[in-house]
Amino acid sequence: MIDTSLWNWDHVWASLPDMLMAFVKVTLVVTIVGSAIAIVLGLVIALVRRSAPKPISRIVTFLMNFIRMTPLVVQLLFMYYALTSWSPLMVGIAVFGVHYATFMAEVYRAGIDSVPRGQWEATTALSMSPGRTWISVIIPQAVRATVPALGNYVISMFKETPFLVAVSVIDMVGAARAYGADHFRFTEVFIVAGVLFLIASYPTSLLINRLEKRLAY
């Protein structure tokens, strides 16, 4: 007999273990590792664009813009078929990390540009080396200005993990969809998935706000 009720808690509890497992093993892993890659690589891209010789800077800028203007799903599918020796999860992590690195690079660029010109002049007057200027003076100030935007991109990455289904990686939403298809119950599982996303992302936004205030001048 088909259950026609609008809401059934039995389906919530039955679907929750698989959804939580997918959340921990896929959604969180891709978000955390992908964010780490994006944060570091984005800074490298921003520094190369600003400090490298013009030919290298132009090549990096072209590649960055190409990746930014290409849909994430297309990148996932292309790399999935190109890197056949990689697991789908590794492909997903790499694509998410590189994709968001290109956006974070622009955030870093804006942060670097926001450093007062007097700071640059002061490091020159003190005969500081370029490396020490960047590490001790410019980057710390730039990071303070970029924390909110970087945090927003991390949250965006977290919410876009369902795109991993394109490369056969089952995240939390994929697990919810699979349960719903097997039991013809989609209302409960998708609402629970939305609530889990909210429970995870809202504290993250609060943490980012707190970090922003702590790093403020």
Side-chain angles (χ1 to χ4, degrees):
M1 183 176 181
I2 298 176
D3 185 358
T4 58
S5 61
L6 183 62
W7 185 268
N8 189 323
W9 283 103
D10 291 338
H11 289 291
V12 173
W13 306 129
S15 63
L16 198 55
D18 288 341
M19 292 173 64
L20 289 176
M21 186 68 68
F23 178 77
V24 173
K25 288 188 174 182
V26 177
T27 305
L28 282 185
V29 170
V30 172
T31 302
I32 293 172
V33 181
S35 296
I37 294 172
I39 289 170
V40 175
L41 182 58
L43 179 58
V44 172
I45 293 172
L47 294 178
V48 169
R49 291 184 65 201
R50 189 178 183 96
S51 303
K54 281 190 176 181
I56 296 177
S57 177
R58 287 174 181 172
I59 292 172
V60 171
T61 300
F62 171 79
L63 292 174
M64 184 192 78
N65 289 332
F66 179 81
I67 293 172
R68 291 177 64 200
M69 296 175 186
T70 308
L72 179 60
V73 173
V74 174
Q75 295 173 19
L76 283 168
L77 289 171
F78 176 80
M79 298 306 295
Y80 176 70
Y81 290 110
L83 301 175
T84 55
S85 61
W86 289 27
S87 70
L89 182 60
M90 288 178 62
V91 171
I93 291 172
V95 170
F96 268 79
V98 174
H99 181 82
Y100 275 91
T102 60
F103 290 94
M104 292 186 180
E106 280 295 284
V107 174
Y108 283 122
R109 181 194 60 77
I112 292 170
D113 290 344
S114 70
V115 176
R117 185 175 181 83
Q119 298 289 325
W120 297 89
E121 295 172 348
T123 59
T124 302
L126 293 172
S127 300
M128 296 177 65
S129 66
R132 188 179 177 191
T133 296
W134 281 106
I135 295 173
S136 301
V137 180
I138 305 303
I139 291 178
Q141 294 184 69
V143 168
R144 290 190 182 98
T146 60
V147 166
L150 294 178
N152 287 336
Y153 280 124
V154 170
I155 294 174
S156 295
M157 183 188 301
F158 173 68
K159 293 189 296 183
E160 289 191 347
T161 51
F163 285 134
L164 291 167
V165 71
V167 292
S168 71
V169 176
I170 304 301
D171 74 318
M172 179 176 63
V173 175
R177 186 186 296 110
Y179 183 91
D182 290 340
H183 298 82
F184 301 100
R185 299 293 304 195
F186 292 96
T187 301
E188 295 90 347
V189 291
F190 283 128
I191 289 178
V192 170
V195 170
L196 289 175
F197 269 114
L198 178 62
I199 290 174
S201 60
Y202 183 67
T204 303
S205 66
L206 295 179
L207 179 62
I208 292 170
N209 291 335
R210 185 173 181 180
L211 182 60
E212 179 186 0
K213 292 177 180 178
R214 188 166 185 176
L215 293 176
Y217 292 99

